[in-house]
Amino acid sequence: MEDILTLGIESSCDETSVAIVKNGREILSNIIDTQIPIHEKYGGVVPEIASRNHIEAISRVTKKALKEANVNLEQIDAITPTYGPGLVGALLVGLSYGKALSYALNKPLVGVNHIQGHIAANYITYPELKPPFICVMMSGGNTQIVHVKGYTEFEVLGKTRDDAIGEAFDKVARVVGLGYPGGPKVDKLAKEGIPEYELPKTHFENLDFSFSGIKTAVINLNHKTQNINKANLCASFQKAVTEVIIENTIKASQLTNIKTIALAGGVSANSHIRSEFLNLEKEGYKIYMPDLKLCTDNAAMIASAGYYNYISGRRDELTLNAKPNLKLT
């Protein structure tokens, strides 16, 4: 079979990224233009500012990706942009650019679900990984346990009923005065503390999550406890949310009889979460975790997912629209 090159475009939030990936597994280029320094002073992502910066960056990032991959647009087999979920204005920039490339080059347009992209980051890190497996999806906008039945076939076994785990990290970081982005800053401070505070953990009969209670408990402790040890508070928060995630993951494994577990999403870069999941290998689980650079938003994971959509026969019309609340299934 001839090699297939997919051009991935990711602009769902605050990273403008374009990547060229060969056969869904090999990165030829993966250019990421982050807006974190821009949004840091606001304490979070400002959607309108994000959209404007995507517009300014998209052409420049695309040219750089092509140059680094040493390919031209004619060699690309499919244009694979993210079309949801995410910020609608931000999504429209990358999707519109992808549609323009598809039209001008007469190349297939293959839309990619952002969550599917995060799952596919594991295929790049681990060339041997194949479905079926359980994927624990953890990001700023999503927390899900997914039964990955095939490269394009998914069943959501559990999901958050309120705050996503990344959202909870950001809110805790804001409360204790760490600022944005919250996840890496909470992780760093927690390493200096011990988990001395007992925090509530919400359990359901199914595999759903709720992080609003633990977030509120952290906020209340911070407000009511004089001279509270913020490192210990962050360590306690991390410990509690990790225990909930692992408990539900083990239940999902027992339900499906699958002991192959993959992590995905920005929060999967958290050092405590990674360490605790690796401990499961002592109990016979096989744990896969994307390279740290592939945990956060990037176009390589989108191009990888786009490759599997493409070879499965998916083709989208130029009428494809951004879907900010797009579900995996």
Side-chain angles (χ1 to χ4, degrees), residues 2-250:
E2 291 186 8
D3 291 331
I4 294 174
L5 301 183
T6 47
L7 186 150
I9 302 172
E10 161 59 27
S11 68
S12 64
C13 190
D14 58 350
E15 264 88 29
T16 311
S17 183
V18 176
I20 316 295
V21 170
K22 182 166 72 174
N23 300 330
R25 302 270 180 165
E26 181 183 346
I27 297 176
L28 301 185
S29 65
N30 185 27
I31 307 302
I32 304 170
D33 187 275
T34 183
Q35 299 179 21
I36 287 176
I38 297 170
H39 298 282
E40 204 165 8
K41 57 187 171 185
Y42 302 106
V45 178
V46 182
E48 179 64 22
I49 293 174
S51 302
R52 290 173 182 269
N53 278 277
H54 285 309
I55 293 170
E56 292 177 7
I58 188 72
S59 292
R60 167 172 45 83
V61 171
T62 302
K63 290 174 183 176
K64 192 172 180 180
L66 289 164
K67 183 178 180 180
E68 185 172 298
N70 195 28
V71 299
N72 59 56
L73 286 169
E74 292 298 331
Q75 293 173 275
I76 301 298
D77 293 285
I79 310 297
T80 64
T82 302
Y83 72 105
L87 303 173
V88 65
L91 286 166
L92 281 168
V93 176
L95 177 59
S96 299
Y97 194 83
K99 287 158 73 171
L101 286 177
S102 172
Y103 178 78
L105 299 167
N106 195 28
K107 302 283 185 179
L109 177 72
V110 181
V112 175
N113 184 308
H114 182 77
I115 302 170
Q116 181 191 358
H118 275 299
I119 294 170
N122 285 284
Y123 300 138
I124 298 171
T125 305
Y126 304 98
E128 76 280 6
L129 178 61
K130 297 177 182 178
F133 57 89
I134 300 297
C135 185
V136 187
M137 171 66 199
M138 300 173 281
S139 71
N142 295 277
T143 310
Q144 298 180 358
I145 296 180
V146 181
H147 180 190
V148 182
K149 298 181 175 181
Y151 289 109
T152 60
E153 185 182 0
F154 311 96
E155 180 186 358
V156 176
L157 303 176
K159 60 185 183 299
T160 184
R161 296 191 180 185
D162 40 57
D163 293 0
I165 186 170
E167 186 180 355
F169 266 93
D170 283 340
K171 288 178 178 176
V172 167
R174 192 176 301 127
V175 165
V176 300
L178 297 177
Y180 173 85
K185 294 183 177 182
V186 169
D187 189 5
K188 183 178 179 181
L189 184 59
K191 291 176 182 177
E192 301 173 14
I194 57 171
E196 67 166 316
Y197 302 106
E198 276 296 322
L199 296 171
K201 293 182 285 187
T202 302
H203 300 276
F204 298 104
E205 291 185 5
N206 60 12
L207 300 181
D208 283 356
F209 299 97
S210 171
F211 296 112
S212 64
I214 188 171
K215 173 203 68 182
T216 302
V218 169
I219 292 170
N220 289 338
L221 263 174
N222 186 70
H223 288 335
K224 295 176 181 178
T225 308
Q226 193 171 13
N227 299 321
I228 193 167
N229 187 311
K230 296 189 176 183
N232 290 355
L233 185 59
C234 287
S236 302
F237 167 73
Q238 266 192 179
K239 179 177 181 288
V241 296
T242 302
E243 287 173 351
V244 170
I245 292 166
I246 287 181
E247 286 170 16
N248 279 14
T249 302
I250 291 172

